[in-house]
């Protein structure tokens, strides 16, 4: 799978994507991440990618020409989706990751500064937001999408079964997990988990998922 990141700050991604399972997956070429800087598509000597907004206002707005040129320079690996990262987009969810993990290419357009020229929206197939808040740019959302999708790709996670029962996999939060020691500072591992009765353990875990989801995220029910 190929991730194309259109960003003014490609160096932002270097360290996070070199770590852990994601770093190993990239080393094994399970996926590739390619960065395209809109500054490389400017025509003035200052490589200017932003300008003052029409009608006045605070801050600078990304110009459409370098963003369009950057996206249009990319190869096309269908099925693919072009995603504009903006606080105005639909909220990111695990179902997005599952859908995108079946694609060959994702193009992630990172906004910056005060925003972007409205016409840039015409480039995108979908607009995505991490939530009801504003960041300095689209790099953190882009990194989140790369991580969330790549861990679902075959070969990234050592035990694929671990992806089945995690939070949001069935619109439920994950059940409580414990490991050794059996007692820590007065907190005990539930006896049923040490019983060896796998059928009873499975039933307990489902009940815990439902209870935890209802108490913490009733909106998922």
């Amino acid at each position: 799978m190929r991730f194309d990141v259109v960003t003014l700050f490609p160096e932002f991604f270097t360290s996070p994507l070199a770590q852990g399972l994601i770093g190993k997956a990239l080393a094994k070429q399970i996926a590739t991440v390619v960065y395209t800087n809109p500054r490389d598509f400017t025509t003035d000597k200052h490589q200017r990618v932003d300008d003052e907004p029409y009608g006045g206002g605070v801050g600078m707005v990304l110009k459409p020409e370098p963003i369009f040129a950057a996206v249009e320079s990319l190869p096309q690996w269908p099925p693919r989706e072009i995603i504009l990262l903006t606080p105005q987009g639909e909220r990111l969810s695990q179902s997005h990751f599952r859908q995108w993990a079946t694609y060959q290419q994702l193009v992630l357009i990172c906004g910056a500064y005060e925003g972007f020229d409205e016409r840039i929206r015409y480039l995108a197939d979908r607009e995505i937001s991490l939530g009801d808040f504003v960041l300095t740019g689209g790099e953190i959302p882009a990194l989140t999408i790369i991580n969330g999708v790549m861990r679902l790709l075959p070969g990234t996670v050592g035990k694929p079964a671990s992806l089945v029962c995690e939070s949001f996999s069935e619109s439920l939060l994950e059940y409580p997990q414990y490991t050794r020691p059996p007692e820590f500072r007065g907190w005990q591992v539930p006896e049923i988990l040490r019983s060896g009765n796998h059928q009873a353990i499975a039933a307990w875990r489902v009940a815990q998922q439902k209870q935890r989801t209802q108490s913490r995220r009733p909106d998922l029910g």
Side-chain angles (χ1 to χ4, degrees), residues 3 8 10 14 55 59 66 68 96 111 139 176 179 183 194 203 209-210:
F3 296 90
L8 298 173
T14 304
F68 269 78
H96 289 115
E139 282 71 24
T179 187
E183 184 274 332
R194 295 181 283 161
Q209 283 186 281
K210 292 178 179 178

Side-chain angles (χ1 to χ4, degrees), residues 3 5-7 12-13 17 85 108-110 130 137-148:
F3 296 90
V5 185
V6 179
T7 174
F12 174 91
F13 297 86
L17 292 181
L85 300 163
L108 306 172
I109 305 174
C110 301
L130 290 190
E139 282 71 24
I140 290 177
L143 185 62
T144 301
I145 289 174
I146 293 170
N147 185 295

Side-chain angles (χ1 to χ4, degrees), residues 94 97-99 101 147-154 156-157 163 166:
Q94 187 68 22
F97 293 154
R98 289 195 294 267
Q99 177 185 356
N147 185 295
V149 173
M150 197 180 301
R151 66 186 294 275
L152 297 180
L153 299 179
T156 299
V157 175
L163 301 174
E166 62 188 5

Side-chain angles (χ1 to χ4, degrees), residues 37-54:
N37 194 329
R39 292 194 190 279
D40 296 334
F41 297 86
T42 55
T43 57
D44 66 296
K45 65 179 181 179
H46 300 295
Q47 293 187 301
R48 189 171 182 178
V49 294
D50 60 348
D51 208 335
E52 297 176 352
Y54 278 115

